[in-house]
Amino acid sequence: MTPDDPHDAVVVGSGAGGAMAAWVLTKAGASVLMLEAGRDYNPDEAPMLSMAKDAPLRGVGSRDKEFGYFDATVDGGWDMPGEPYTMAEGSEFMWWRSRMLGGRTNHWARNSFRMGEYDFKPYTRDGLGVDWPVEYKDIAPWYDKTEKLVGVYGTNTGLENHPSSGPGVLQPPPKFRVWETFLKAGGDAVGIPVVPARRAILTKKIDERQACYWASGCGRGCGIGAAFQTTTSLIPWAKKTGKLTIATGAMVYEVLLDASGKASGVRYIDKATGTHKEAKGRVVIIAASTGETARILLNSKPNGRSEGLSNSSGQVGRNLMDTVGSNLSAYFPQLEGRPRYNEDGAMGLHAYIPFWDYGRVKSGEAGTPRGYHVEIGGSFGDPGMGVGGGLDGYGASLRGDVKRRYGARIGLTQRGEMIPNKNSFCEIDTNTKDKFGIPVLKFSFAWSEHELNQVKHFQKAMGELVDKLGGTFTSDMPEPGKAISKGGEIIHEVGTARMGKDAKDSVVNQYGKSWDVDNLYLTDGSVFVSKAHKNPTITIMALAMRSADNIATRLRTGEL
């Protein structure tokens, strides 16, 4: 089939949510057209074994390659020529867009932490935000299916609000490295858990995907399929069914409705020719990423209605959230001068600090209503431009200091929960259009006192841990308002089209189906009701699998 042919389903987006929906539907026998705004991408392009010393500026980030010269983002970033976005006065928001087949799954960190019972019912627990229309037990089987399919390493820790996976689901985790073992000793002493992380990295071969051989940065893309990305799994699997058609360079900007008010397809611009085209389907699935999905809905104006499509609740664009982020770095004399060896491992977390202070949160003693986890980084790694930062001198003495101190620093990175607030949302900027003539998004964003207090908690707790291990922070402790990340900077933005139990205050139901348009579904982070501290991708995929299963049933029975 071609993009001009009618399909059972039109899927907008090829990342975690879009590719999962496409795979489930094609496996069920449905014909699917996948529209991707970015260029085609083959993971064989990944520069897996290239060295920083062989790259311009030793591979550091630049305006064209924000996460480094070898990062898998081949077309996209914070700043995209001809594709602007704007911000309301007093707001600062960073919107990352990955314009490539597979989207962000080609270069994400692969951290895969399940949301727990508290995370799905936050309002019930503390009266803030809104509850999800589902409970953890409703999503648990889909987490199991997703983790087993994707391949997630880790263990069941049994910790509060950190649910266990089913028997045989998780792959074996890699061993702790020296600095992680060192940090665990301090954590044990002060009551802060340091446990095996969960990541979508294979430690055992699955199907045609190989186990990780511990030699390449996951953000570069993974040609052997060990680090999960849709371009080495869901998309090629869907293509093998013979039911998937892909059109790249297809910039979707509007959902089409028929005379009965059902979605009949989408309009898009063929970026190569500038031609406006239409794609037809029995069901339309939007998984274009949180911001882009909101943009498509708000730019779709059925019968000229200014509020946009699927927006009878007025909630499209509202409830924008991102992960709370802040960073600390500490130096530990005990790690000086240790023997040099390859401890790269999975080039990411083997261990992390899950949130542990729920008891004090409940009693009010913690000073913050929601939690965070801590991602820890260390090791020797591939030296970059800043390897000698903070040292004085020159010649042999400087080289000696660098070698002695190399590997003695540990980074502590907060990743925390944001509570939705009325000051954080996106809307259409009617005064600005992109190079394709499509009105752009305008962002308003603000952290609340809850997120700032969470940073305080993180700083105090890490201070106790570092002090116990005899370390010192490498810089002065910044005020929470200066330490906290900018909105969107962590690239975990969710919300804007939240699910709910009632059409009056939500955009979609528990399966991601629009309340207003019976055959329109959303399967990306836009449907999130809250932004737990857990990284969102594994939840996006589990929800997308559940939604696609619902769609497949409705297609099979003729309901769609």
Side-chain angles (χ1 to χ4, degrees):
M1 300 179 72
T2 73
D4 296 327
D5 295 318
H7 288 71
D8 291 321
V10 175
V11 176
V12 182
S14 61
M20 179 63 81
W23 178 74
V24 172
L25 290 173
T26 54
K27 189 168 63 114
S31 61
V32 174
L33 171 62
M34 175 183 284
L35 300 174
E36 165 56 50
R39 77 157 171 89
D40 195 8
Y41 173 73
N42 186 330
D44 289 342
E45 298 178 38
M48 295 180 66
L49 301 179
S50 299
M51 301 291 289
K53 66 182 180 62
D54 299 322
L57 300 176
R58 291 189 180 270
V60 299
S62 65
R63 183 172 179 177
D64 293 328
K65 298 282 287 187
E66 295 279 358
F67 290 115
Y69 183 78
F70 294 123
D71 184 72
T73 305
V74 294
D75 191 8
W78 304 117
D79 182 14
M80 297 181 59
E83 296 192 51
Y85 55 93
T86 62
M87 286 171 276
E89 185 176 352
S91 291
E92 192 166 15
F93 191 87
M94 302 171 68
W95 188 21
W96 179 276
R97 288 158 294 174
S98 294
R99 292 286 193 249
M100 60 190 298
L101 189 70
R104 300 178 189 180
T105 69
N106 294 299
H107 62 90
W108 64 306
R110 277 81 175 182
N111 297 331
S112 301
F113 309 119
R114 289 189 182 199
M115 290 172 56
E117 293 180 5
Y118 300 169
D119 303 318
F120 284 101
K121 299 297 177 184
Y123 179 80
T124 296
R125 184 165 172 79
D126 60 25
L128 298 171
V130 177
D131 284 343
W132 290 65
V134 294
E135 299 179 45
Y136 170 73
K137 66 181 181 181
D138 299 319
I139 310 303
W142 301 98
Y143 274 130
D144 275 352
K145 292 177 182 179
T146 300
E147 290 170 353
K148 196 166 183 66
L149 177 77
V150 164
V152 174
Y153 73 57
T155 60
N156 292 325
T157 63
L159 294 172
E160 185 177 7
N161 198 38
H162 293 85
S164 295
S165 301
V169 169
L170 295 175
Q171 294 217 330
K175 295 179 180 179
F176 282 16
R177 293 159 288 203
V178 166
W179 49 275
E180 290 160 329
T181 303
F182 173 74
L183 203 66
K184 184 180 186 307
D188 289 345
V190 297
I192 295 177
V194 178
V195 302
R198 290 186 176 210
R199 296 184 70 218
I201 306 289
L202 300 186
T203 55
K204 296 193 303 183
K205 185 180 185 297
I206 300 181
D207 46 68
E208 67 274 18
R209 293 173 292 161
Q210 303 297 313
C212 180
Y213 53 67
W214 319 130
S216 178
C218 302
R220 299 178 176 204
C222 187
I224 66 170
F228 177 82
Q229 53 200 80
T230 64
T231 43
T232 56
S233 55
L234 299 173
I235 293 175
W237 298 342
K239 289 171 71 174
K240 285 180 181 179
T241 68
K243 293 289 186 176
L244 179 65
T245 303
I246 300 175
T248 53
M251 189 77 180
V252 175
Y253 62 91
E254 183 180 9
V255 177
L256 299 171
L257 301 184
D258 61 20
S260 69
K262 289 188 175 182
S264 59
V266 299
R267 284 198 179 99
Y268 68 95
I269 297 170
D270 182 336
K271 292 164 68 172
T273 64
T275 306
H276 290 248
K277 296 184 176 182
E278 295 183 359
K280 298 291 188 177
R282 292 164 60 190
V283 60
V284 172
I285 302 166
I286 306 181
S289 83
T290 293
E292 203 69 62
T293 291
R295 183 188 183 198
I296 291 169
L297 294 177
L298 292 170
N299 275 324
S300 301
K301 302 187 184 298
N303 301 318
R305 292 167 59 176
S306 60
E307 74 272 16
L309 183 64
S310 193
N311 196 23
S312 61
S313 64
Q315 293 299 311
V316 175
R318 302 288 156 176
N319 313 301
L320 176 65
M321 296 167 281
D322 188 30
T323 290
V324 177
S326 71
N327 300 283
L328 294 170
S329 177
Y331 180 75
F332 298 93
Q334 299 95 316
L335 297 179
E336 284 184 0
R338 57 196 180 95
R340 301 293 185 269
Y341 56 91
N342 182 351
E343 63 175 14
D344 292 345
M347 290 290 206
L349 300 181
H350 287 194
Y352 84 119
I353 298 173
F355 192 65
W356 70 96
D357 210 11
Y358 287 109
R360 293 178 69 247
V361 165
K362 188 175 182 179
S363 69
E365 297 173 83
T368 176
R370 303 285 172 83
Y372 57 88
H373 68 261
V374 182
E375 299 175 5
I376 53 182
S379 79
F380 299 122
D382 191 0
M385 292 291 285
V387 66
L391 297 178
D392 292 325
Y394 60 92
S397 63
L398 176 60
R399 288 193 297 272
D401 284 343
V402 169
K403 288 181 179 180
R404 177 173 53 83
R405 296 169 65 94
Y406 194 42
R409 197 161 80 171
I410 298 176
L412 302 163
T413 300
Q414 177 191 12
R415 292 289 180 261
E417 177 167 358
M418 177 184 179
I419 300 171
N421 66 66
K422 65 180 181 180
N423 298 313
S424 298
F425 59 90
C426 60
E427 59 190 329
I428 296 299
D429 186 336
T430 57
N431 297 316
T432 308
K433 295 182 178 180
D434 64 17
K435 63 183 178 182
F436 308 109
I438 306 169
V440 308
L441 280 185
K442 179 179 181 180
F443 290 96
S444 297
F445 193 85
W447 299 113
S448 74
E449 63 177 348
H450 302 305
E451 289 79 46
L452 296 175
N453 286 336
Q454 189 188 111
V455 174
K456 289 181 183 178
H457 185 288
F458 162 72
Q459 292 178 339
K460 183 175 185 296
M462 293 304 102
E464 294 173 358
L465 176 58
V466 169
D467 184 65
K468 189 67 177 179
L469 287 167
T472 56
F473 287 113
T474 57
S475 63
D476 293 336
M477 190 80 71
E479 291 295 319
K482 294 182 179 179
I484 199 167
S485 53
K486 299 173 184 176
E489 185 176 2
I490 310 303
I491 319 181
H492 287 174
E493 73 275 8
V494 296
T496 74
R498 72 182 179 197
M499 63 169 61
K501 291 184 176 179
D502 196 317
K504 293 179 181 178
D505 58 11
S506 59
V507 179
V508 298
N509 72 4
Q510 63 170 298
Y511 294 104
K513 183 183 78 67
S514 165
W515 291 112
D516 299 349
V517 183
D518 185 59
N519 63 336
L520 174 65
Y521 283 75
L522 311 182
T523 63
D524 58 14
S526 65
V527 303
F528 276 42
V529 177
S530 65
K531 175 63 203 77
H533 70 76
K534 284 93 170 192
N535 305 49
T537 305
I538 199 72
T539 301
I540 289 173
M541 287 193 281
L543 292 174
M545 183 186 285
R546 184 173 184 262
S547 295
D549 181 74
N550 176 261
I551 296 167
T553 299
R554 296 184 71 201
L555 284 170
R556 185 171 57 251
T557 59
E559 189 178 334
L560 289 173

